[in-house]
Amino acid sequence: MKTIKVGVLGATGMVGQRFVQLLENHPWFKLTELCASERSAGKSYEEALGDRWKIGGTVPSCANDAVVKKPEPGIDCDLVFSALDSSVAGPIEESFAKSGYVVCSNSRNHRFDPDVPLLVPEVNHGHMEAVKAQNYGDGFIAANPNCSTTGMVIPLKALNDAFGVSNVFVTTMQALSGAGFNGFGLDIEDNVLPLISGEEEKMESEPLKILGKFNGRSFVNADMKFSAQCNRVNVIDGHMEALNVKLSEKTGTEDFVSALGNFNPLKGLNLPSAPDPPIIIAEDEDRPQPKYDRNSGNGMAVTVGRIRECPILDYKFLVLSHNTVRGAAGGSILNAEFIAKKGYF
Amino acid sequence: MKTIKVGVLGATGMVGQRFVQLLENHPWFKLTELCASERSAGKSYEEALGDRWKIGGTVPSCANDAVVKKPEPGIDCDLVFSALDSSVAGPIEESFAKSGYVVCSNSRNHRFDPDVPLLVPEVNHGHMEAVKAQNYGDGFIAANPNCSTTGMVIPLKALNDAFGVSNVFVTTMQALSGAGFNGFGLDIEDNVLPLISGEEEKMESEPLKILGKFNGRSFVNADMKFSAQCNRVNVIDGHMEALNVKLSEKTGTEDFVSALGNFNPLKGLNLPSAPDPPIIIAEDEDRPQPKYDRNSGNGMAVTVGRIRECPILDYKFLVLSHNTVRGAAGGSILNAEFIAKKGYF
Amino acid sequence: MKTIKVGVLGATGMVGQRFVQLLENHPWFKLTELCASERSAGKSYEEALGDRWKIGGTVPSCANDAVVKKPEPGIDCDLVFSALDSSVAGPIEESFAKSGYVVCSNSRNHRFDPDVPLLVPEVNHGHMEAVKAQNYGDGFIAANPNCSTTGMVIPLKALNDAFGVSNVFVTTMQALSGAGFNGFGLDIEDNVLPLISGEEEKMESEPLKILGKFNGRSFVNADMKFSAQCNRVNVIDGHMEALNVKLSEKTGTEDFVSALGNFNPLKGLNLPSAPDPPIIIAEDEDRPQPKYDRNSGNGMAVTVGRIRECPILDYKFLVLSHNTVRGAAGGSILNAEFIAKKGYF
Amino acid sequence: MKTIKVGVLGATGMVGQRFVQLLENHPWFKLTELCASERSAGKSYEEALGDRWKIGGTVPSCANDAVVKKPEPGIDCDLVFSALDSSVAGPIEESFAKSGYVVCSNSRNHRFDPDVPLLVPEVNHGHMEAVKAQNYGDGFIAANPNCSTTGMVIPLKALNDAFGVSNVFVTTMQALSGAGFNGFGLDIEDNVLPLISGEEEKMESEPLKILGKFNGRSFVNADMKFSAQCNRVNVIDGHMEALNVKLSEKTGTEDFVSALGNFNPLKGLNLPSAPDPPIIIAEDEDRPQPKYDRNSGNGMAVTVGRIRECPILDYKFLVLSHNTVRGAAGGSILNAEFIAKKGYF
């Protein structure tokens, strides 16, 4: 694999920082460009951050002295990761694609474009076919889903392949880190916040596209129904999701667990960020827990636990995933690895 | 209403303290006896507590100098509130009932006895008829349900009366205070604990009895199904519960909200602890929140919010209630008030 | 005492809300005017707040429907409490004073004016003499000190009167609420923030004026030295301060404790908000604690504990006070009560 | 360096776990024995832990299958690390020393023995001479100090060498992890706990021995005075300490900072766990912070920040160190490395 030059758009934000962190020492990608808003452009990355490096550890040496640029085509790289705010991401990402860049986007703007794959490589890598339909010339856009969707669709894909899944109830207990630097102030202390604006809509619509099919011309939604209730709890990283699922085909608990534990569609591809296996079955009955399990598989694996029969539907269980790694920057980097491996450059 | 002398069994624990706090200045009940384990017996209440008064404010003056006794019949009162640990509560409560005391119990030991009402006055006061079947002579036992059940059955009763409820999915985000003084140590910081031992079983069985009927000889379970997932979050007081419900009869949101907001079966009884109304509809779309809403109706009301259609069943919404007030000591005191009002003394 | 009409400037902020809360049902003061920025002017108070009532409980009914005005003289009241941001407070407070209003200010702008008393009634009510030197006509300005200063000077006054105090080392562990709505985001979770901008300077300078004398023309600083280290910890309300003090005159622990416990210079004045006594000596050796002691004396008393000999100086001990009650709005209201009692209207 | 076999006594507790974690893949030490109480003896380490692996990550593979033994001489190793509870550590450690083992102890029992060095290699490695006076035959005991002492004595040694230090005021804001699994329950939420039993006494006495001299026969205390106030705050790992120091010789801030930053007495010894440099000077004025700085130098470095002149003494500043790494298990391992390097085996 020859080294691919990559850039990060929106590099000073919380997800942008995570991109920079995860790209340090990446075996395939070399981080050559950091872009951010006008306010930061022209400053060194360290200066642009001010004291806002908020994800632990120190600013990677590869980034520290880089000069931050405006997010405009012409920068020296082949692929850009977009952590831009959705208020500006749409046209900027398009301009990069039109200029021949591969765009791996964490923003929501293009997720439902009819030719943009909403990519989770373990789940729907076949959707990459859709990029051929994009009219951007050599470049294209691949999006990753919302953090709370990503964690859920991986085990649902395993179950859907094995037994069919028709209905999913999900109640989330989501971490604070996805909401950016400012968080919630005093409101989150000794509290639960029961509204995350737009989140339930995403969790009820994105999985239909991801778990659906690309028929050569357009995406066909999966034949499933989702009902989501999203809550914010006082946890720094790691989204917990309590699911109840209705299966098309009855099964026993042992087979149910095996279907999850044996799921490993990327095995053999040797993608650097791919967790192996992608789904970890928690052994103890009081797990997963965000504090102890969010970093499983370097934050890229999903931990499933408390699998038990549901008195109404078929099964209920918990899913935990790291929201800013698997659910954002790490997921986007895995997408880029898959794209690189498949020879799109 | 002539004054009724009452005692608290298990008065030094977390729920016991709440009983003592709520009984200070009660208009009908005079707290005359405090009982606790052998270790505490003979000491003043203050001394027995050590520095373990953990519910805010100060030890009520009515209790401070009382001498703690062993929990044995013979103490000077007509009614005892039991906050005893379930490892010892069963036979002690029976011995009090046999000696002619009214026992209002927060413990789980007798909740499923075929002649013990699992009483929530707004929901099933007719169940009090069952105590006539008890063989304790003049005394009897009335139990209140588990904290997480109590919050849920009040709105479910309102909905069941209006539209019929057949299926209930509930995922809880429960506060720490119900777990006693020691809590969870470091484990709860930056974490969610997805196992509360025995809690899901209680939430799936207790509502069937509470929402069912007493047919003159025995209890007949309600014809409903419950599926519960119980989690502990980093909140001091106040259980949040996310529900999805299937109704027997379709309805619009406005009628759904009215059925909840207009529910007030105790109106006119003038019970001192009865919240009026028992169900508060949160106006803002980001409520209820434990920190701001748990003390509604002096901690005795249930707050319902985020009522919206469910893409799979009929409605989804959140319920918040104060777990150690409405869900424990306060609920038991309301039971006693109902019993007193109905002339059982 | 005839009723005095009062207004609050900066009524929508965190301290402004506390003023409104504490003024509800005040026996002497009637809240007639609420003022805030241009953005809020013309709206009802409830509307101007949005969902930002952040201090627990509900918006007092006296304020709910009031129309918010701009903070300009002409409003219908005799006294204004200022919770304005220091970026604008200076000239606005002056304009009110010039128009004949009594201004009780929580802002820092005029604290070091040579004719403005930095008033803590238990400590330096004689400083009110200074207002005669103000050139505002009938109106005048009286300031209260910074929250972290207020808690400390009350016990220091008691000790200085009894034994003389020459040196004070103080390290604070301050609550979050004083920093406003937005707080610190994720930064305060699992963390201590060791810099509170400008706070150490205030704690090293304000006590010198407060504990000093007004000589008829100007203030003469107390002959003491202070060294402060200020930290923010993950507590909602209540500033903890660890002090080491050097006394001019040696004393035993018993006398030291008595000097604090017997201090009560406002006794007999019957000011509604004056705590009686102002200093509470914590009995248990592990107190004070913010969670359990901050509301002592309705949040107006200071709790002192862990009094013990210092191996280097004379004594070390802890002081706790409620930063937004005693240290801000409540302190300012007590100042107004003192002013009213002394006949300044 | 030939490999040295080591064991951990008290391997299931919080500090014991940290020993096991830090010894995985140690270049010089091979963990061959795990000992714990009777209750655990005979079980595999994993089984003995139950679900009590509480320090993040997973149980090291080197330990997982080991059979836990009773803490008695005869086990297969040359050196034991003791994380035993102080209620039992004293005689057990002696029995190991008498049987020829080197004992590196984190317990307080032998810290003040007249021939036991209270070892912090950067500070007092010359004290190792004292072990010759021990009557244990080939074995000996070397202790490390209390966690809150360790963090403080490293910068104080640097300052004492350069300028002399005569008086130290220290107020701590200590993390929860040192108090074991159970922590503080609800008490620590929204709170500060101002009493850590015995801690102030340790901080006022241990530095005198550590910074003192061994004169060939006994230890002579340093000629300094300490006054400590110890508090527990809601932080998981990392003790913050606010110090005011009086120097024997006046100096400027630049030289003061240099004396700290240039301190590196172990340089050249190539001890695997020795931080290089041991003291990190925080560049930003709002640092150190536990969350972001506790893992500096793999948790073995001490971070000093906010160095500024003290209005009463000479300087004030903050010190942060990781309490269960540098302050406990890691400190003890560094001691063992120093002992190994110096040829004591």
Side-chain angles (χ1 to χ4, degrees):
Chain A
M1 182 67 64
K2 78 171 191 5
T3 298
I4 296 165
K5 292 182 187 171
V6 302
V8 174
L9 311 182
T12 54
M14 201 101 164
V15 171
Q17 292 180 15
R18 193 64 88 178
F19 271 118
V20 172
Q21 183 187 62
L22 296 174
L23 289 167
E24 189 183 20
N25 304 320
H26 193 282
W28 300 355
F29 301 144
K30 183 175 162 59
L31 180 58
T32 55
E33 297 283 7
L34 297 170
C35 301
S37 67
E38 296 264 356
R39 193 167 36 77
S40 297
K43 297 181 184 169
S44 73
Y45 186 55
E46 190 171 23
E47 200 186 349
L49 285 171
D51 63 348
R52 294 176 88 85
W53 180 262
K54 295 298 183 192
I55 60 172
T58 52
V59 182
S61 52
C62 66
N64 224 349
D65 300 326
V67 173
V68 176
K69 298 182 181 167
K70 280 187 269 185
E72 294 171 355
I75 58 174
D76 176 31
C77 61
D78 300 308
L79 181 151
V80 291
F81 294 105
S82 168
L84 293 165
D85 190 83
S86 59
S87 63
V88 301
I92 294 176
E93 292 175 5
E94 287 168 38
S95 72
F96 273 94
K98 282 178 191 159
S99 303
Y101 295 82
V102 173
V103 179
C104 287
S105 173
N106 185 59
S107 297
R108 65 175 163 76
N109 306 59
H110 293 287
R111 283 183 190 155
F112 285 96
D113 285 7
D115 48 15
V116 168
L118 196 41
L119 187 63
V120 180
E122 292 94 334
V123 176
N124 65 347
H125 53 70
H127 288 196
M128 273 303 295
E129 192 193 340
V131 303
K132 295 176 195 163
Q134 293 183 19
N135 291 318
Y136 296 125
D138 291 340
F140 61 83
I141 299 174
N144 57 281
N146 185 45
C147 51
S148 55
T149 302
T150 304
M152 176 174 68
V153 292
I154 296 173
L156 288 179
K157 170 65 174 173
L159 296 174
N160 197 38
D161 284 358
F163 317 111
V165 173
S166 54
N167 286 345
V168 179
F169 294 88
V170 56
T171 297
T172 68
M173 293 160 278
Q174 298 183 221
L176 306 170
S177 55
F181 298 124
N182 294 326
F184 306 93
L186 291 180
D187 271 0
I188 195 61
E189 303 288 328
D190 186 18
N191 210 1
V192 171
L193 301 175
L195 177 67
I196 306 177
S197 194
E199 195 83 357
E200 296 177 353
E201 293 76 3
K202 291 175 193 167
M203 290 193 79
E204 293 176 355
S205 59
E206 292 180 359
L208 302 181
K209 177 170 181 178
I210 297 167
L211 294 164
K213 297 205 179 317
F214 184 73
N215 67 8
R217 290 184 319 278
S218 62
F219 289 98
V220 181
N221 274 354
D223 185 22
M224 298 178 178
K225 281 193 279 189
F226 287 81
S227 179
Q229 302 206 52
C230 295
N231 304 279
R232 194 78 73 178
V233 296
N234 196 356
V235 164
I236 295 176
D237 289 311
H239 286 354
M240 286 279 272
E241 306 185 351
L243 277 76
N244 296 67
V245 296
K246 184 169 170 56
L247 304 178
S248 307
E249 187 185 309
K250 295 293 160 197
T251 186
T253 302
E254 200 175 328
D255 289 345
F256 188 92
V257 171
S258 293
L260 293 167
N262 295 331
F263 180 75
N264 203 348
L266 299 181
K267 193 159 187 75
L269 277 186
N270 295 319
L271 306 183
S273 303
D276 179 11
I279 300 171
I280 292 173
I281 309 294
E283 288 182 20
D284 297 328
E285 65 167 352
D286 64 346
R287 302 286 278 267
Q289 294 179 15
K291 183 185 204 159
Y292 297 118
D293 297 306
R294 59 193 165 204
N295 290 320
S296 294
N298 293 320
M300 290 296 289
V302 169
T303 305
V304 175
R306 302 212 69 221
I307 298 166
R308 55 220 192 281
E309 292 187 14
C310 170
I312 301 179
L313 301 181
D314 292 289
Y315 283 94
K316 50 186 177 181
F317 55 95
L318 284 151
V319 176
L320 172 76
S321 64
H322 194 299
N323 53 305
T324 67
V325 179
R326 179 73 223 204
S332 214
I333 290 172
L334 180 59
N335 285 355
E337 292 169 1
F338 181 81
I339 289 166
K341 186 77 175 194
K342 290 300 183 184
Y344 283 87
F345 289 92
Chain B
M1 182 69 63
K2 78 170 192 0
T3 298
I4 297 166
K5 293 181 187 172
V6 302
V8 174
L9 312 181
T12 55
M14 202 100 164
V15 171
Q17 291 179 16
R18 194 63 89 176
F19 271 118
V20 171
Q21 183 187 60
L22 296 173
L23 289 167
E24 190 181 20
N25 304 320
H26 193 282
W28 298 357
F29 301 144
K30 182 176 162 58
L31 179 58
T32 55
E33 298 282 7
L34 296 171
C35 301
S37 66
E38 296 265 356
R39 193 166 38 77
S40 297
K43 298 180 184 168
S44 75
Y45 186 55
E46 190 171 24
E47 200 186 350
L49 285 173
D51 63 347
R52 294 177 87 85
W53 180 263
K54 294 297 183 192
I55 59 171
T58 52
V59 182
S61 53
C62 65
N64 223 349
D65 301 326
V67 173
V68 176
K69 298 183 181 169
K70 280 187 271 186
E72 294 171 354
I75 58 174
D76 176 31
C77 60
D78 300 309
L79 180 151
V80 290
F81 293 104
S82 168
L84 292 166
D85 189 85
S86 60
S87 62
V88 301
I92 294 176
E93 292 176 6
E94 287 168 37
S95 72
F96 272 94
K98 281 178 191 158
S99 303
Y101 294 83
V102 172
V103 179
C104 287
S105 173
N106 185 57
S107 298
R108 64 174 163 77
N109 305 61
H110 293 287
R111 283 182 190 155
F112 286 95
D113 286 7
D115 48 15
V116 168
L118 196 43
L119 188 62
V120 180
E122 290 94 335
V123 177
N124 65 348
H125 53 70
H127 288 195
M128 274 303 295
E129 191 191 341
V131 304
K132 295 176 194 160
Q134 294 183 18
N135 291 317
Y136 296 126
D138 291 342
F140 62 82
I141 300 174
N144 58 281
N146 184 46
C147 51
S148 55
T149 302
T150 303
M152 176 174 69
V153 293
I154 296 172
L156 287 180
K157 170 66 174 172
L159 296 173
N160 197 37
D161 285 359
F163 317 110
V165 173
S166 55
N167 287 344
V168 179
F169 294 86
V170 57
T171 296
T172 68
M173 292 160 280
Q174 298 183 222
L176 305 169
S177 56
F181 298 125
N182 293 326
F184 306 92
L186 291 181
D187 270 0
I188 196 60
E189 303 289 329
D190 186 18
N191 210 2
V192 171
L193 300 175
L195 177 67
I196 306 177
S197 195
E199 195 83 358
E200 295 177 355
E201 293 76 1
K202 290 175 193 167
M203 290 194 79
E204 292 176 354
S205 60
E206 292 179 0
L208 302 181
K209 177 171 180 177
I210 297 166
L211 294 164
K213 296 204 179 317
F214 185 73
N215 67 9
R217 290 185 318 279
S218 62
F219 289 99
V220 181
N221 275 354
D223 185 21
M224 296 178 179
K225 280 193 280 189
F226 287 80
S227 179
Q229 302 205 53
C230 295
N231 303 280
R232 192 80 72 179
V233 295
N234 196 356
V235 164
I236 295 177
D237 289 312
H239 286 354
M240 287 279 271
E241 305 184 353
L243 277 77
N244 296 68
V245 296
K246 184 170 169 55
L247 304 178
S248 307
E249 186 185 311
K250 297 292 159 196
T251 185
T253 302
E254 199 176 328
D255 289 345
F256 188 93
V257 171
S258 294
L260 294 167
N262 295 332
F263 181 74
N264 202 349
L266 300 181
K267 193 158 186 76
L269 277 186
N270 296 320
L271 305 183
S273 303
D276 179 10
I279 300 172
I280 292 173
I281 308 294
E283 287 181 21
D284 296 327
E285 65 166 352
D286 64 346
R287 303 287 277 266
Q289 295 179 14
K291 184 184 202 159
Y292 297 117
D293 296 307
R294 61 193 165 205
N295 291 320
S296 295
N298 293 319
M300 291 296 288
V302 169
T303 305
V304 175
R306 301 212 70 222
I307 298 166
R308 56 221 191 280
E309 292 189 13
C310 171
I312 302 179
L313 301 182
D314 292 289
Y315 283 94
K316 50 185 179 181
F317 54 95
L318 284 150
V319 176
L320 172 76
S321 63
H322 195 301
N323 53 305
T324 66
V325 179
R326 179 73 223 205
S332 213
I333 291 171
L334 179 60
N335 284 355
E337 291 170 2
F338 181 82
I339 289 166
K341 187 75 175 194
K342 290 300 183 183
Y344 284 88
F345 289 93
Chain C
M1 181 71 60
K2 80 170 188 9
T3 297
I4 296 165
K5 293 182 187 172
V6 302
V8 174
L9 312 182
T12 55
M14 201 103 167
V15 170
Q17 291 180 15
R18 193 64 88 176
F19 271 117
V20 172
Q21 183 187 61
L22 295 174
L23 288 167
E24 189 182 20
N25 304 320
H26 192 283
W28 299 356
F29 302 143
K30 181 175 163 59
L31 180 58
T32 55
E33 298 282 8
L34 297 171
C35 301
S37 66
E38 296 265 355
R39 193 167 38 76
S40 298
K43 299 182 183 168
S44 74
Y45 186 55
E46 190 171 22
E47 199 185 350
L49 284 172
D51 64 347
R52 294 176 89 85
W53 179 262
K54 295 297 185 193
I55 58 172
T58 51
V59 182
S61 52
C62 66
N64 223 350
D65 300 326
V67 173
V68 176
K69 298 183 182 168
K70 279 188 270 185
E72 295 170 355
I75 59 174
D76 177 30
C77 60
D78 300 309
L79 179 152
V80 291
F81 293 104
S82 168
L84 292 166
D85 189 83
S86 59
S87 62
V88 301
I92 295 177
E93 292 175 6
E94 287 168 38
S95 71
F96 273 95
K98 281 177 190 158
S99 302
Y101 295 82
V102 172
V103 179
C104 287
S105 172
N106 185 57
S107 299
R108 65 176 162 76
N109 306 57
H110 293 288
R111 283 184 189 154
F112 285 95
D113 285 6
D115 47 15
V116 168
L118 195 42
L119 186 64
V120 180
E122 292 94 333
V123 176
N124 65 347
H125 53 70
H127 289 195
M128 275 302 295
E129 192 191 340
V131 303
K132 295 176 193 162
Q134 294 183 17
N135 290 316
Y136 296 126
D138 291 341
F140 61 84
I141 300 174
N144 58 280
N146 185 47
C147 51
S148 56
T149 302
T150 304
M152 175 174 69
V153 293
I154 296 173
L156 288 179
K157 170 66 174 174
L159 295 174
N160 197 36
D161 284 359
F163 318 110
V165 173
S166 54
N167 286 343
V168 179
F169 294 88
V170 57
T171 297
T172 68
M173 292 160 280
Q174 298 184 222
L176 306 169
S177 56
F181 298 125
N182 293 325
F184 306 93
L186 291 180
D187 270 0
I188 195 61
E189 304 288 328
D190 186 19
N191 211 2
V192 171
L193 300 175
L195 176 67
I196 306 177
S197 195
E199 195 83 358
E200 297 178 353
E201 293 76 1
K202 291 175 192 167
M203 290 193 79
E204 293 176 354
S205 60
E206 291 180 1
L208 302 181
K209 177 171 180 178
I210 297 167
L211 294 164
K213 297 204 179 319
F214 184 73
N215 67 8
R217 289 184 320 277
S218 62
F219 290 99
V220 180
N221 275 354
D223 185 22
M224 296 178 179
K225 279 193 282 190
F226 287 81
S227 179
Q229 302 206 51
C230 294
N231 303 279
R232 193 79 71 178
V233 295
N234 196 356
V235 164
I236 296 176
D237 289 311
H239 285 354
M240 287 277 272
E241 306 185 350
L243 278 77
N244 296 68
V245 295
K246 184 169 170 56
L247 304 179
S248 307
E249 186 185 309
K250 296 293 159 195
T251 185
T253 302
E254 199 176 328
D255 289 344
F256 188 92
V257 172
S258 295
L260 294 166
N262 295 332
F263 180 75
N264 203 349
L266 300 181
K267 195 161 187 74
L269 277 185
N270 296 319
L271 305 182
S273 303
D276 179 10
I279 300 172
I280 293 173
I281 307 294
E283 286 183 20
D284 296 327
E285 64 167 352
D286 63 347
R287 301 286 276 269
Q289 295 179 14
K291 184 183 204 159
Y292 297 117
D293 296 306
R294 59 194 166 204
N295 291 319
S296 294
N298 294 319
M300 291 296 289
V302 169
T303 306
V304 175
R306 302 212 69 222
I307 298 166
R308 56 222 191 280
E309 292 189 12
C310 171
I312 302 179
L313 301 182
D314 291 289
Y315 283 93
K316 49 185 179 181
F317 55 96
L318 285 150
V319 176
L320 172 76
S321 63
H322 195 301
N323 53 305
T324 67
V325 179
R326 179 74 223 204
S332 213
I333 291 172
L334 179 60
N335 284 355
E337 292 170 1
F338 181 82
I339 289 166
K341 186 75 174 195
K342 290 301 183 182
Y344 284 87
F345 290 92
Chain D
M1 180 69 62
K2 78 171 193 1
T3 299
I4 296 166
K5 293 182 186 171
V6 303
V8 173
L9 312 181
T12 54
M14 202 102 165
V15 171
Q17 292 180 15
R18 194 62 90 176
F19 271 118
V20 171
Q21 183 188 61
L22 295 174
L23 289 167
E24 189 182 20
N25 304 320
H26 193 281
W28 298 357
F29 301 144
K30 182 176 162 59
L31 180 58
T32 55
E33 299 281 8
L34 296 171
C35 301
S37 68
E38 296 265 355
R39 193 166 37 76
S40 297
K43 299 180 184 169
S44 74
Y45 186 55
E46 191 171 21
E47 199 185 350
L49 285 172
D51 64 347
R52 296 177 88 85
W53 179 263
K54 296 296 184 194
I55 59 171
T58 51
V59 181
S61 53
C62 66
N64 223 349
D65 300 326
V67 173
V68 176
K69 299 183 181 168
K70 280 187 270 186
E72 295 170 354
I75 59 174
D76 177 30
C77 61
D78 299 309
L79 180 152
V80 290
F81 293 105
S82 168
L84 294 165
D85 189 85
S86 59
S87 63
V88 301
I92 294 177
E93 292 176 4
E94 288 168 37
S95 72
F96 273 94
K98 281 178 190 158
S99 302
Y101 295 82
V102 172
V103 179
C104 287
S105 173
N106 186 57
S107 298
R108 66 174 161 76
N109 305 59
H110 293 288
R111 284 183 189 154
F112 286 96
D113 286 7
D115 47 16
V116 168
L118 196 42
L119 187 63
V120 180
E122 291 94 335
V123 177
N124 64 349
H125 54 70
H127 288 195
M128 273 303 294
E129 190 192 343
V131 303
K132 295 176 192 161
Q134 293 183 18
N135 290 316
Y136 296 126
D138 290 341
F140 61 83
I141 299 174
N144 57 281
N146 185 48
C147 50
S148 55
T149 302
T150 303
M152 175 174 69
V153 292
I154 296 173
L156 288 179
K157 170 65 175 173
L159 296 174
N160 198 37
D161 284 359
F163 317 110
V165 173
S166 54
N167 286 344
V168 179
F169 295 87
V170 56
T171 297
T172 69
M173 293 160 280
Q174 299 183 221
L176 306 169
S177 56
F181 298 125
N182 294 325
F184 306 92
L186 292 180
D187 271 0
I188 195 60
E189 304 288 329
D190 187 17
N191 210 1
V192 170
L193 300 175
L195 177 67
I196 306 177
S197 194
E199 195 83 357
E200 296 177 352
E201 292 76 2
K202 290 175 193 167
M203 290 193 80
E204 293 176 353
S205 60
E206 291 180 359
L208 302 181
K209 178 171 179 178
I210 298 167
L211 294 164
K213 297 203 178 320
F214 184 73
N215 67 9
R217 289 185 320 277
S218 62
F219 290 98
V220 181
N221 275 354
D223 185 22
M224 296 177 179
K225 279 193 281 189
F226 286 81
S227 179
Q229 302 206 51
C230 295
N231 303 279
R232 192 79 72 178
V233 295
N234 196 356
V235 164
I236 295 177
D237 290 310
H239 286 354
M240 287 278 271
E241 307 184 350
L243 277 78
N244 296 67
V245 296
K246 184 171 170 53
L247 304 178
S248 306
E249 187 184 309
K250 296 294 160 195
T251 185
T253 302
E254 198 176 329
D255 289 344
F256 188 92
V257 171
S258 294
L260 294 167
N262 295 331
F263 181 74
N264 202 348
L266 299 181
K267 194 159 186 75
L269 277 186
N270 296 318
L271 306 183
S273 303
D276 179 10
I279 300 171
I280 292 173
I281 308 295
E283 286 182 21
D284 296 327
E285 66 168 350
D286 63 347
R287 302 286 277 270
Q289 295 180 13
K291 183 185 206 158
Y292 297 117
D293 296 306
R294 60 193 165 204
N295 291 319
S296 294
N298 294 317
M300 291 296 290
V302 169
T303 305
V304 175
R306 302 212 70 221
I307 298 165
R308 55 222 191 279
E309 291 189 14
C310 171
I312 302 180
L313 301 183
D314 292 288
Y315 283 94
K316 50 185 178 180
F317 55 95
L318 285 150
V319 176
L320 171 76
S321 63
H322 195 301
N323 53 306
T324 68
V325 180
R326 179 75 222 205
S332 214
I333 290 172
L334 180 60
N335 285 354
E337 292 170 0
F338 181 82
I339 289 166
K341 186 75 175 195
K342 290 300 184 183
Y344 283 88
F345 290 92

